[in-house]
Amino acid sequence: MRTRPLKVALLGCGVVGSEVARIMTTHADDLAARIGAPVELVGVAVRRPSKVREGIDPALITTDATALVQRGDIDVVIEVIGGIEPARTLITTAFENGASVVSANKALLAEDGAALHAAAEKYGRDLYYEAAVAGAIPLVRPLRESLAGDKVNRVLGIVNGTTNFILDKMDTSGAGYSEALDEATALGYAEADPTADVEGFDAAAKAAILAGIAFHTRVKIGDVHREGITEVTAADIASARRMGCTVKLLAICERAADGASVTARVHPAMIPLSHPLASVREAYNAVFVEAEAAGQLMFYGPGAGGSPTASAVLGDLVAVCRNKLGEATGPGESAYTRLPVSPMGEVVTRYHISLDVADKPGVLAQVATVFAEQGVSIDTVRQQGRPDGGGEASLVVVTHRAPDAALSGTVEALRKLDTVRGVASIMRVEGE
Ligand SMILES: NC(=O)C1=CN([C@@H]2O[C@H](COP(=O)(O)OP(=O)(O)OC[C@H]3O[C@@H](n4cnc5c(N)ncnc54)[C@H](O)[C@@H]3O)[C@@H](O)[C@H]2O)C=CC1
Ligand SMILES: N[C@@H](CC=O)C(=O)O
Ligand code: NA
């Protein structure tokens, strides 16, 4: 084994960074044996230097992240501060100054992954980011490496722990939305600004990264259709239960049937209780990958939290250090297909639509006519009078598969009917 250590700089010492530092210290001997050289933490950039950080030598703490990545003797920079800037500049500066980078920053990778990959390639460095998608679950590396000889057609799953935790609590214990979000935040699952979780930005970033790797193309967060969970009500969840379904926030990336384009979307969806994704609880994630030769693969595990995420970071650290010792780099960006991303209107799926309607003869026929005119075929309809009466009823329509654009047209036309008092909810149905 080489005795001269590989030098590691840690940027950020929050939920993930503190666990990375802890495991680097407690597992130092194992890491050295696996890499073939010791790894030494030589600097930790933080924002609040006065905070007590157990197990970290105070002499390593600095508030000057730029000076740390410019030192010139760092082998690997671990970026776990999050956000676009200064993370982006720090990563490129690290490449310029001789370091490879391990990052958990999905927001940045989904915004500017191509430029970061180009910078890594220019300077002959590695850029690894297993932790950026689905926490501890090995997913980036299997897609980038294990499935590199196959053709992936679909990636579908739960990729945000915080929203899964909230929906699960609302469904199984009747917890309120805010209470469940507070708990997820206290457990270290949520982003620094949890809007990123609940509005679907975090899952959209992960979908962009997954689609890019899976289809060997470039997908940015802005290309991903995004809906969060803030509009999901207890009534939606109860309605899903009545249909034998549950509500999950899904990320779905698909190659078009003709292979000429891809789609990427994040939205809440009803899935049958019999589907494996329905039993994904708390902050766990699960992702199905459908590949031409392999068939269907399922990846499952903890999708958020300090220790699980640190596991993925450390796996990347070992890989990058091994590459360094072998004077090699791992696989870079593979985006040669340059497939365009189609708009949401072209996505074909099923819908569950809940309408508040006038409880009088002919209404059902009127509603059915609108669906027929828009070319959306109805699978089931359930009408129930409202307990408060008042001449109104709830009408729940579940459609067959239809293009999203046709569904939008249907909803627009329904809203114009006098007998439709309101569209209470629209949810896609997946996994059937
Ligand atoms: N918490 C989780 O479950 C997961 C987090 N991630 C990602 O890991 C990254 C870190 O997340 P967390 O540790 O949860 O966030 P955090 O907010 O707990 O930690 C980030 C730390 O970076 C520090 N920081 C911010 N700007 C800095 C700067 N310019 N210089 C030095 N320190 C700075 C903050 O003070 C904070 O302590 C983010 O990109 C996040 O999206 C990825 C997977 C899971
Ligand atoms: N906030 C994220 C953290 C992991 O990526 C989540 O909840 O999934
Ligand atoms: Na992962």
Side-chain angles (χ1 to χ4, degrees):
M1 184 184 332
R2 187 177 103 154
T3 50
R4 188 160 52 81
L6 288 154
K7 294 184 180 173
V8 177
L10 181 62
L11 311 183
C13 197
V15 171
V16 178
S18 57
E19 278 299 294
V20 169
R22 181 186 67 76
I23 300 171
M24 277 186 73
T25 309
T26 54
H27 292 46
D29 292 344
D30 285 326
L31 291 171
R34 291 169 198 176
I35 291 166
V39 274
E40 185 189 356
L41 194 55
V42 297
V44 181
V46 301
R47 244 186 340 207
R48 284 179 298 138
S50 55
K51 187 176 162 192
V52 178
R53 293 182 168 83
E54 214 181 305
I56 298 179
D57 179 355
L60 300 182
I61 301 290
T62 174
T63 52
D64 194 346
T66 304
L68 183 57
V69 297
Q70 282 176 335
R71 269 174 51 155
D73 64 341
I74 306 288
D75 293 290
V76 185
V77 166
I78 299 175
E79 183 276 306
V80 279
I81 61 178
I84 306 297
E85 286 293 354
R88 174 169 46 198
T89 304
L90 290 169
I91 290 175
T92 10
T93 310
F95 291 146
E96 285 162 17
N97 286 274
S100 282
V101 172
V102 173
S103 173
N105 194 336
K106 52 268 169 141
L108 176 58
L109 284 153
E111 182 58 39
D112 228 1
L116 292 175
H117 276 292
E121 194 179 339
K122 177 177 170 192
Y123 293 102
R125 320 284 181 228
D126 273 328
L127 172 61
Y128 275 47
Y129 44 90
E130 183 58 74
V133 185
I137 307 171
L139 192 57
V140 172
R141 194 118 28 107
L143 281 169
R144 250 172 124 167
E145 299 182 30
S146 320
L147 290 164
D150 207 334
K151 183 178 182 189
V152 175
N153 287 321
R154 193 165 192 242
V155 181
L156 171 148
I158 296 165
V159 294
N160 182 269
T162 302
T163 48
N164 199 61
F165 186 89
I166 295 170
L167 292 172
D168 179 39
K169 292 281 170 202
M170 285 172 76
D171 190 8
T172 57
S173 70
Y177 172 88
S178 311
E179 183 194 335
L181 173 58
D182 288 349
E183 204 182 331
T185 304
L187 289 165
Y189 303 148
E191 294 302 300
D193 175 0
T195 311
D197 297 291
V198 297
E199 295 289 4
F201 290 101
D202 180 77
K206 291 163 176 168
I209 296 169
L210 287 174
I213 302 173
F215 307 134
H216 299 268
T217 189
R218 280 189 187 144
V219 179
K220 290 182 74 163
I221 187 166
D223 300 322
V224 180
H225 173 87
R226 174 192 54 79
E227 294 167 37
I229 64 160
T230 49
E231 312 271 295
V232 177
T233 61
D236 291 329
I237 293 173
S239 179
R241 276 272 150 189
R242 280 195 295 277
M243 279 182 60
C245 291
T246 187
V247 177
K248 295 288 185 190
L249 184 72
L250 298 185
I252 305 173
C253 312
E254 290 169 307
R255 192 191 288 275
D258 64 3
S261 62
V262 298
T263 53
R265 54 190 161 119
V266 165
H267 54 72
M270 286 187 186
I271 48 168
L273 290 170
S274 55
H275 193 280
L277 288 177
S279 53
V280 177
R281 305 283 310 275
E282 304 202 323
Y284 280 78
N285 286 183
V287 178
F288 284 92
V289 175
E290 291 171 18
E292 211 167 79
Q296 195 173 67
L297 308 164
M298 183 177 176
F299 298 82
Y300 171 78
S307 168
T309 308
S311 164
V313 169
L314 284 152
D316 280 353
L317 176 66
V318 170
V320 168
C321 286
R322 286 173 177 160
N323 291 345
K324 275 254 166 191
L325 290 183
E327 293 178 5
T329 51
E333 188 193 33
S334 170
Y336 69 94
T337 64
R338 296 288 195 276
L339 290 171
V341 184
S342 298
M344 184 64 189
E346 291 179 23
V347 166
V348 174
T349 188
R350 299 181 65 208
Y351 303 86
H352 173 282
I353 302 151
S354 182
L355 304 168
D356 295 331
V357 297
D359 194 4
K360 59 183 189 189
V363 173
L364 195 55
Q366 265 188 349
V367 167
T369 303
V370 168
F371 277 87
E373 282 168 357
Q374 300 289 331
V376 179
S377 165
I378 292 175
D379 181 19
T380 60
V381 184
R382 197 181 68 237
Q383 178 169 352
Q384 63 190 47
R386 297 257 287 273
D388 52 355
E392 286 198 11
S394 292
L395 199 61
V396 175
V397 179
V398 180
T399 74
H400 287 295
R401 284 166 59 79
D404 211 79
L407 192 275
S408 301
T410 306
V411 171
E412 207 176 305
L414 286 170
R415 285 190 207 276
K416 289 186 185 144
L417 292 180
D418 287 344
T419 47
V420 173
R421 310 280 193 243
V423 180
S425 82
I426 308 165
M427 206 171 287
R428 297 175 184 90
V429 182
E430 301 286 343
E432 288 181 318

